[in-house]
Every structure is written in structure tokens, then in C-alpha cells.
Amino acid sequence: MNENIILSNEFSGLWTGRSPVRIVSLVPSLTEIFYYFGLDKYVVGVTRFCEHPKVKFPKPAKIGGTKNPSFDKIKKLNPDVIFASKEENNLADIERLSTICPVIVTDIVTIDDNLKVLEHFGIMFQKKKAASAVIKQHSSDFKKVIFADLKTAVYLIWKDPMMTVGGDTFISNMMLYAGFENLYFDATRYPEITMDKLIQDNPEYLLLSSEPYPFKEKHVEEFERMLPATKVILVDGQMFSWYGIRPLFTKKYFSSIL
């Protein structure tokens, strides 16, 4: 692999004794971590999807989306490091951006993965105290699956074509803590499914995510007509798919769903 592309489990030893002073984030949930750790003054570029925290960074440049970010805009920002995600960013973009500076790539599928990245962030940015506090709460909130009686569920992220989540995704891991058994746990990534297949599977719950496809109440009514025995509900996609510090807020939300 390109030596300027660094996997998340290898970056904690970088910048020993100093922190990067110019950060570009291509991942909304990582951007949220930087603010939470008090690193906002170092963030010079974010995507247009980096909507949290609601209190904005001091004039960070918008460098496009998570897919196809502007190479020229990022290069002009002269970053020390770019943060990306295997989940959200394209490999071709990561490879090209690595010609500017090191690109750190996270690969977070489980809560344990998230804890490791938070620990590494604490080391890298000399924010061990802040990281330890987040890790402690995460470890308490997610030390076990809250619900003993899991309800079968299908989680939809897209409508046309209809797409769900496989067992190798962070969303699938979070479903367990929300009280759901992912009927597509044996699948990988984000498989397409048909309405006939969904009717055949007959899940107890159908979870319609608010992102990336913005499911609305009208979609609940459509699916209820097709699946009369299934409980169809809208769910906050950020609570299921955002890692970083966002899981700090999920326990109360998850307990309200069922």
C-alpha cells in the first residue's frame, strides 16, 4: 500500500510530541470528534455533509462531498493530514489525495473498532483525558446487548433500488444494541433486495433510515400496505451509522424505539 495511506490502527504513533496543525476531514462523524476534543482551530477543511456540531468551526473551507472531494481545494489548504474512511470515501480519491499529505483511513465496523480509534485519536492529538472519558461511557453503554429478546428487522438505506445492510457494517452492529436482529446479517456490505424478497422474509420490524435516502412518513404508509404484519418505523440514520462520539447519544434513543 502507498506509504502515505495509513490505516487507523497504525496512526497512533504519528506526530509524536506534536499534533498536526492543519486537518482536512472527509468524514462527518470524524469531524464531530475533532470539535468534541477541542481541535476546531486546527480543522481547515470539511465536507458539506459535516453538519455536526451545530456550532460551526471557525470558517473551515467546504471541500465538496465525501465522494469526489475537490483535490484542488484541498491542496490549496496545505493540510498536514487528511482523515478518510474506508466506508464513506472512494479509494481513487484517497490515493490521489495521498500525494498531498498522509491520509489516515478508518475502518469502523463495531463499537470495539470505534473505541480503538478514539484511543488512537487521544494519543495522536494529546487528548488522552477527553478520549478516556468517551471510552469509559461507551464501554458502560455498550458492554452488553440491552435487549434479550431481539426483534427481527430489515434496515433500509435506499429506496430505488431498495438496499439494506449486511452484517459487516457498523449499522448492523448498532442494530443489536437497539434490540434488533438483522435478517441480512449473513450478507455483506449493502445488498439490493426486492419487495418480493422483503415480503417473503416478513420481518417483525422494517426500519426506514433518515439517511442517506430521506425516507418520510409517506414511505411508511407505502410499506405498511405491502407488509401488514410488519411494524414499519422511521429511524434516525445518524444514531445507527455515525461512529466517533455519536454513540454517546444513542442509548436513550435506542431504548425509545421499542
Side-chain angles (χ1 to χ4, degrees):
M1 179 180 285
N2 182 329
E3 63 180 13
N4 242 17
I5 299 175
I6 305 157
L7 300 181
S8 59
N9 63 346
E10 300 171 350
F11 70 71
S12 62
L14 295 177
W15 291 281
T16 302
R18 70 178 183 91
S19 296
V21 294
R22 298 184 66 78
I23 300 168
V24 167
S25 173
L26 305 182
V27 188
S29 49
L30 297 184
T31 301
E32 189 174 29
I33 297 177
F34 299 136
Y35 185 88
Y36 192 84
F37 281 4
L39 300 167
D40 43 294
K41 65 183 178 181
Y42 302 118
V43 178
V44 295
V46 298
T47 76
R48 64 176 179 270
F49 300 113
C50 294
E51 60 182 73
H52 291 296
K54 295 301 183 184
V55 178
K56 297 298 184 183
F57 291 97
K59 299 181 181 180
K62 294 298 176 69
I63 48 76
T66 54
K67 305 291 193 294
N68 303 311
S70 171
F71 178 86
D72 291 337
K73 286 183 179 179
I74 293 173
K75 187 173 183 179
K76 287 179 181 178
L77 292 172
N78 191 30
D80 293 317
V81 63
I82 299 168
F83 282 88
S85 165
K86 181 180 177 182
E87 175 76 14
E88 299 187 51
N89 306 116
N90 294 323
L91 178 58
D93 292 329
I94 291 171
E95 289 178 335
R96 189 180 184 205
L97 291 170
S98 72
T99 63
I100 299 174
C101 68
V103 180
I104 292 173
V105 182
T106 61
D107 184 13
I108 301 174
V109 176
T110 67
I111 283 293
D112 285 343
D113 293 337
N114 194 46
L115 294 179
K116 290 174 184 175
V117 167
L118 288 167
E119 180 183 6
H120 291 159
F121 269 46
I123 296 170
M124 181 177 181
F125 296 113
Q126 298 158 40
K127 295 288 183 178
K128 291 183 180 181
K129 185 175 180 179
S132 295
V134 178
I135 291 169
K136 183 178 180 180
Q137 184 173 334
H138 271 57
S139 299
S140 174
D141 289 350
F142 296 98
K143 62 184 176 183
K144 64 179 179 179
V145 174
I146 300 171
F147 301 90
D149 181 23
L150 297 176
K151 306 297 183 181
T152 60
V154 173
Y155 186 107
L156 293 187
I157 61 167
W158 205 257
K159 188 173 184 293
D160 296 310
M162 200 154 54
M163 296 173 68
T164 185
V165 298
D168 59 345
T169 62
F170 188 71
I171 293 173
S172 184
N173 189 241
M174 294 300 280
M175 285 174 69
L176 284 172
Y177 294 100
F180 301 106
E181 175 191 351
N182 181 8
L183 283 183
Y184 288 89
F185 183 82
D186 291 335
T188 58
R189 309 308 296 153
Y190 304 102
E192 293 184 16
I193 59 173
T194 64
M195 181 58 74
D196 287 343
K197 176 62 173 166
L198 189 57
I199 293 172
Q200 177 185 333
D201 290 336
N202 193 31
E204 293 177 87
Y205 280 80
L206 179 65
L207 309 179
L208 304 182
S209 179
S210 62
E211 62 174 44
Y213 185 88
F215 283 103
K216 306 294 184 185
E217 193 62 43
K218 65 179 182 179
H219 300 116
V220 172
E221 296 170 1
E222 291 174 10
F223 281 107
E224 284 178 338
R225 287 194 292 270
M226 301 298 293
L227 300 161
T230 298
K231 177 72 172 177
V232 184
I233 57 176
L234 295 173
V235 296
D236 185 340
Q238 292 184 3
M239 293 297 186
F240 283 87
S241 65
W242 282 41
Y243 36 83
I245 68 159
R246 182 62 30 179
L248 290 176
F249 314 115
T250 59
K251 186 177 181 180
K252 183 178 180 180
Y253 176 74
F254 285 167
S255 66
S256 72
I257 296 177
L258 291 177

